[in-house]
Amino acid sequence: PSKETPEALAAAFHDPQNWPIFYHALKSVTLYENGKALAAGHPAAPGMTALFVIVPVKKEWKRFDIRAEVLTPKPGESLRFRMLEESSGKTTRLVDDFEWWVGVHPPNATEARQGNRTVVFGGATAETKTSRARLLGRMGQKILMNQLYQIDLVRLANFTENKKAWGTEIESPY
């Protein structure tokens, strides 16, 4: 549940420069259309390619890039991606067809009574390539998802406050 308005969250999704606020360890994202880099702040649209530069906090040597296709969001979703490649190769050795998405929907009656205006949701799907990957997926679902699905839904749900704190000395509310 989020106190954010749908309009405030639309701004979070609309401008890729806002994505590092709610993506774990995202240093930058560059959108490409027909192989050409687009200007910063250009909104994502289906058919584009996004290059995510991930730099884990205090582990800069573990930096990696994810190249993903921007897909047409399904109803209720705001962003949807399919991973094309990952620079370390670790993820692509384990899974195929990794897709992730994020979106918002109206709160139910109980959430609305608590003052929430929207509910932020996200998810991911993938097909495992090997029996070892399936075993890892069953035994360490949270670990695997933390490595692959980089969106922090709690930060997104508090987007306005986190945006104010972003790049300043102000401590993030989450």
Side-chain angles (χ1 to χ4, degrees), residues 56-130:
V57 178
K58 298 182 184 175
K59 295 182 182 178
E60 292 79 14
W61 66 91
K62 291 189 174 189
R63 175 193 183 278
F64 63 97
D65 299 340
I66 295 175
R67 193 169 62 83
E69 176 185 5
V70 180
L71 302 175
T72 302
K74 292 183 179 175
E77 297 174 354
S78 298
L79 294 171
R80 178 176 274 269
F81 300 96
R82 176 185 301 122
M83 183 172 65
L84 301 173
E85 68 180 343
E86 182 258 318
S87 63
S88 75
K90 292 177 184 176
T91 304
T92 50
R93 283 193 303 267
L94 294 174
V95 297
D96 266 337
D97 295 327
F98 178 66
E99 290 186 16
W100 70 99
W101 58 89
V102 64
V104 296
H105 61 77
N108 64 31
T110 304
E111 293 163 337
R113 279 194 301 275
Q114 294 170 346
N116 296 304
R117 297 179 181 169
T118 54
V119 175
V120 176
F121 70 93
T125 59
E127 292 182 19
T128 54
K129 288 185 173 182
T130 65

Side-chain angles (χ1 to χ4, degrees), residues 109-163:
T110 304
E111 293 163 337
R113 279 194 301 275
Q114 294 170 346
N116 296 304
R117 297 179 181 169
T118 54
V119 175
V120 176
F121 70 93
T125 59
E127 292 182 19
T128 54
K129 288 185 173 182
T130 65
S131 58
R132 181 178 171 203
R134 281 187 286 285
L135 180 64
L136 175 65
R138 286 189 189 110
M139 293 179 66
Q141 290 177 355
K142 287 185 179 182
I143 294 169
L144 189 60
M145 283 303 291
N146 285 339
Q147 295 298 314
L148 298 177
Y149 186 72
Q150 298 283 326
I151 298 173
D152 186 331
L153 296 175
V154 176
R155 277 199 182 159
L156 180 56
N158 297 299
F159 176 72
T160 302
E161 290 180 34
N162 282 304
K163 185 173 182 177

Side-chain angles (χ1 to χ4, degrees), residues 37-55:
L38 299 174
H42 194 285
M48 291 180 179
T49 303
L51 179 65
F52 295 89
V53 177
I54 311 292
V55 181

